[in-house]
Amino acid sequence: MSRRERSPSTPSSPREAKRQKLEAPLTSEDYKNGIMLAPMVRSGALPTRLFALKYGASLVWGPEIVDKAILHAERVVDPVTGVVNYNGKSRAIWSTHPIEKPYLIYQIGSADPELAVKAAKTVMNDVSGIDLNCGCPKPFSTSGGMGAALLTTPDLLCSILTALRSAMPPEISVSAKIRLLPTQEDTLKLVERIIDTGVSALTVHCRTRNMRKTEKATIERLREVVEFVEKMGKGVAVIENGDCLGYEDAKRVREITGAHSVMIATAAEANPSCFSPTPLVDVHRTLIPSYLRVSRYLGNHWANSKFCGIQFRGNHVQNTRADEKEFKDKFAKAKGYDHMDDVAGDWSQGKAEFEEICGIIEAR
């Protein structure tokens, strides 16, 4: 992936004053030869994205945010940490930090071209790409005609992408994430229409709308899709999503599918260091304490940090399953960061650990 740099802007913190660089826009090439963090509701929070970048994720997708939700949010920058919060009535609807901007894709849930454009314009100064969710099968998305419902309304789907590409400046990439349709013929017809809207990348979740993550992804169907896209000659990247377990497994997935890159969801939800050739083991000792310290420093809402932390798991070397159960029981009972003092240790380390993450990301 090419080196990415941020555009000059008014510094939001003392640290930001040291980062005045020219931005290199995302292109189709930036979506190739990488391993990406998938958009995940709740699990794809700012701390998780930062840890994924720390351990090698090429790009990171934020969780799907419905278009109308972000339109009424108030953008507030924390003067100490630099965190950018888009606040709703009671808490942040979405949060980001300038350090992740060169690698950050904002995913929109929408069934309306005009609203999608308004939502994209609201956040475009804080992201490098806009992605349209065309694959979520959950009722909160499909009931409004969004997500996987768009697969059955291709005219609407493509009109949203066309509107986004027309409205966004060239330095903001536009992409889409879909699921496979029941037949390969229908899938290819839809893919052709999407590619013609001018997207830079297309992510294909290798399950149909009615399949769930407990069912094996049909990744072998993707090779024909990739070859079809390449024959169109527009250089669009095709990203595989479904059943990739991490850095090493991505090699297997790309060999089977021919995909330009691989996107990870479930494995990253369990261990955001899965993007590394040597992912962390004994995560209750090696990952979670640091994750909590950084989350608290950045002001991440406790309920979200708790949700994410409970999902973390990995191979055991020194820890036992009994240790893991005891830890999760404690996590489940905790009602705030202060209830995890004996796990997190010295909370003041959070700032230094965040600075370390920034340094690793900047070193790219």
Side-chain angles (χ1 to χ4, degrees), residues 98-127:
I99 192 67
E100 69 170 345
K101 179 185 175 182
Y103 314 97
L104 177 61
I105 312 299
Y106 180 87
Q107 190 179 68
I108 291 177
S110 183
D112 184 300
E114 183 178 350
L115 287 176
V117 168
K118 288 181 178 179
K121 287 184 175 179
T122 299
V123 302
M124 69 180 188
N125 291 329
D126 293 313
V127 305

Side-chain angles (χ1 to χ4, degrees), residues 2 5 42 65 78 86 117 132 185-186 198 224 237 287 301:
S2 62
E5 297 180 327
R42 298 181 72 185
I65 305 293
D78 187 297
Y86 284 80
V117 168
L132 179 65
E185 180 182 3
D186 287 341
E224 185 178 3
L287 171 63
H301 195 277

Side-chain angles (χ1 to χ4, degrees), residues 240-363:
E240 187 277 343
N241 178 217
D243 289 357
C244 180
L245 302 178
Y247 179 90
E248 291 297 332
D249 196 43
K251 300 174 184 177
R252 173 190 67 87
V253 172
R254 290 190 64 185
E255 183 175 352
I256 293 173
T257 64
H260 300 108
S261 291
V262 178
M263 178 179 283
I264 304 177
T266 303
E269 182 178 53
N271 188 345
S273 72
C274 69
F275 300 94
S276 168
T278 54
L280 297 176
V281 298
D282 295 330
V283 296
H284 297 86
R285 179 173 54 83
T286 60
L287 171 63
I288 291 179
S290 178
Y291 186 91
L292 288 176
R293 291 191 293 263
V294 170
S295 295
R296 184 173 188 173
Y297 173 71
L298 295 177
N300 197 54
H301 195 277
W302 161 249
N304 178 260
S305 298
K306 176 179 179 177
F307 175 85
C308 293
I310 287 177
Q311 313 304 314
F312 292 158
R313 61 186 61 85
N315 292 334
H316 301 282
V317 176
Q318 296 181 16
N319 293 350
T320 65
R321 293 190 180 276
D323 294 332
E324 181 177 353
K325 184 180 185 305
E326 180 181 356
F327 183 88
K328 286 193 173 182
D329 288 343
K330 178 179 178 61
F331 226 146
K333 295 175 183 177
K335 297 181 179 180
Y337 285 109
D338 290 341
H339 291 198
M340 300 297 287
D341 285 347
D342 57 339
V343 172
D346 184 0
W347 288 108
S348 66
Q349 293 183 37
K351 179 180 180 180
E353 289 168 323
F354 170 66
E355 293 287 345
E356 178 190 16
I357 293 173
C358 289
I360 292 171
I361 296 174
E362 288 176 330

Side-chain angles (χ1 to χ4, degrees), residues 72-74 86-93 301:
H72 305 291
E74 179 186 11
Y86 284 80
N87 292 330
K89 292 182 179 180
S90 60
R91 68 175 68 174
I93 295 171
H301 195 277

